[in-house]
Amino acid sequence: MTTMSNRFTWKPGALALALSASLANSAHADGVSTLRAFVKDVNTGRGNFTQLVTSPDGKKSRKSNGSLEFQRPNRFRFNYTTPTEQLIVGDGQKVWLWDTDLNQVTVRPMSNALGATPAALLSGGSLEKDFTLKDVPKQALSGPDASMEWVEAVPRDKDGQFRSVRVGFKAGVLAALVIEDGFGQRSRLDFAQFESRVTLPATRFQFKPPAGADVLDQP
């Protein structure tokens, strides 16, 4: 099941996708330390994002907008609003993908959907077990990215769907996420108005297929 397909290119979940926080880190903390603190200390979060998906040759791109909410462990909600609507919900047991245009729901067990994905990385996966982490050197960055702390997470499972995930923090707050899949397609999410440690109703991470929707169960 594709969760973040061209709207998010990773199979669920991708992403849990994530969130940020005003972490009490030193101004000189490195990206790896900031990510570790984020995973350890930030239990809930929400924010808006803009996503740009670029083809492997860089000639085609697709822009979308939406919002993200998450609660550890393994509960998240990606709501894509433009240019088309798509909802991805992880309820702790299953990952649900609702394509509103098709009125079709795809559901998979979370144990089979996450693995070493961006969603697992950000919403409560086994960080050190599933990923190799390294700081991205400042000299390799340019433009606004050079003002952030970046960490690259490479899945230990070489047969997975993703080559790498880069997470960018600004002043300890999640600012960007860059995902490169096994085909070389690149997805970048830039976050805005991110709030951490917020109270989120349990209903935000529950999903009931709409009446009349086709429901496809996948292993």
Side-chain angles (χ1 to χ4, degrees):
M1 155 171 124
T2 300
T3 74
M4 297 190 153
S5 65
N6 285 327
R7 310 156 193 187
F8 222 131
T9 300
W10 49 287
K11 297 187 179 181
L15 279 51
L17 255 184
L19 334 228
S20 125
S22 284
L23 302 177
N25 292 314
S26 161
H28 301 288
D30 58 76
V32 171
S33 296
T34 303
L35 177 60
R36 285 172 175 158
F38 169 75
V39 170
K40 177 177 180 292
D41 298 335
V42 180
N43 292 319
T44 62
R46 65 185 174 196
N48 299 322
F49 64 81
T50 297
Q51 179 178 325
L52 184 66
V53 178
T54 307
S55 63
D57 60 10
K59 295 181 179 180
K60 297 180 181 179
S61 63
R62 178 188 177 101
K63 187 176 182 180
S64 55
N65 296 283
S67 62
L68 164 70
E69 299 167 71
F70 84 101
Q71 179 179 333
R72 300 185 193 279
N74 296 330
R75 288 170 173 79
F76 54 87
R77 181 185 183 94
F78 283 92
N79 185 24
Y80 288 86
T81 55
T82 60
T84 55
E85 295 183 17
Q86 186 184 55
L87 178 64
I88 304 163
V89 177
D91 64 11
Q93 300 295 323
K94 297 180 179 180
V95 176
W96 305 81
L97 167 62
W98 180 31
D99 189 312
T100 57
D101 288 345
L102 299 176
N103 197 22
Q104 183 179 84
V105 176
T106 307
V107 57
R108 291 185 66 185
M110 182 163 285
S111 58
N112 297 336
L114 289 185
T117 66
L121 187 155
L122 291 171
S123 68
S126 302
L127 187 64
E128 307 292 345
K129 176 183 177 182
D130 293 335
F131 299 91
T132 298
L133 307 177
K134 66 177 181 180
D135 289 312
V136 178
K138 290 288 186 182
Q139 56 267 33
L141 304 170
S142 61
D145 286 357
S147 65
M148 302 183 199
E149 295 169 343
W150 286 88
V151 56
E152 183 174 55
V154 177
R156 295 184 184 276
D157 180 5
K158 302 306 179 185
D159 296 325
Q161 303 163 16
F162 307 96
R163 293 179 183 174
S164 67
V165 182
R166 284 191 176 190
V167 187
F169 293 91
K170 193 164 187 176
V173 175
L174 182 70
L177 188 68
V178 180
I179 304 162
E180 183 177 353
D181 69 16
F183 299 100
Q185 180 172 264
R186 187 173 180 267
S187 298
R188 174 169 179 140
L189 290 88
D190 289 289
F191 294 95
Q193 301 174 330
F194 199 89
E195 301 176 277
S196 62
R197 303 182 181 92
V198 293
T199 300
L200 299 172
T203 53
R204 300 301 290 167
F205 309 107
Q206 298 171 359
F207 182 83
K208 182 179 180 180
D214 293 327
V215 180
L216 306 178
D217 282 293
Q218 294 188 348

